[in-house]
Amino acid sequence: MSNKSSRTIWIAAALIDDGAGRLLLVRKAGTEWFMQAGGKIEDGETPVSALRGELDEEIGLTLVDGDARHLGCYSSPAANEPDHTVEAEIFHVRMRYTPATRSEIEEAVWVDHVTAAGMPLAPLTRDYILPLSRTL
């Protein structure tokens, strides 16, 4: 999206839960921060199409129509890009799924809220996703 600042990274990300109180968090290779699967939205791409592509590429998850529900747009400091902000279109996906780590993803884990709170979390995950997930 061309009207975004060059220091703003526009992403689509999935708050994936299993309906039993666990969240799926991923960690990119060479980083310490756990976050949601997802990634950058390219020019001309819709947030949901970006999300579909990123989830397939990162964890081998194929979404069908109706799997993802838009929860809103949240802004937070970027975890892995200093002095950048992420503008995140967040989607809720509820399913039990065994992720296949692919692409740049080094680790994907299902965790409950207590475990997640003690992990190194990206600011977006810590400040918005964890509290939001408790309301679903």
Side-chain angles (χ1 to χ4, degrees), residues 91-112:
F91 293 84
H92 179 229
V93 176
R94 175 161 290 160
M95 62 180 51
R96 288 185 171 91
Y97 176 74
T98 302
T101 56
R102 298 176 168 179
S103 187
E104 71 266 20
I105 301 302
E106 187 168 303
E107 191 175 357
V109 294
W110 283 103
V111 293
D112 60 29

Side-chain angles (χ1 to χ4, degrees), residues 34-115:
F34 283 87
M35 59 188 61
Q36 278 51 59
K40 293 181 176 91
I41 301 169
E42 302 299 334
D43 283 342
E45 193 174 34
T46 66
V48 74
S49 69
L51 183 72
R52 279 188 172 136
E54 291 290 337
L55 292 182
D56 181 49
E57 180 182 309
E58 292 183 350
I59 60 172
L61 177 60
T62 302
L63 292 182
V64 298
D65 288 344
D67 279 350
R69 182 171 60 97
H70 189 250
L71 296 176
C73 185
Y74 299 85
S75 180
S76 183
N80 298 315
E81 291 89 356
D83 302 319
H84 284 72
T85 299
V86 292
E87 289 285 336
E89 300 288 345
I90 301 297
F91 293 84
H92 179 229
V93 176
R94 175 161 290 160
M95 62 180 51
R96 288 185 171 91
Y97 176 74
T98 302
T101 56
R102 298 176 168 179
S103 187
E104 71 266 20
I105 301 302
E106 187 168 303
E107 191 175 357
V109 294
W110 283 103
V111 293
D112 60 29
H113 289 96
V114 172
T115 302

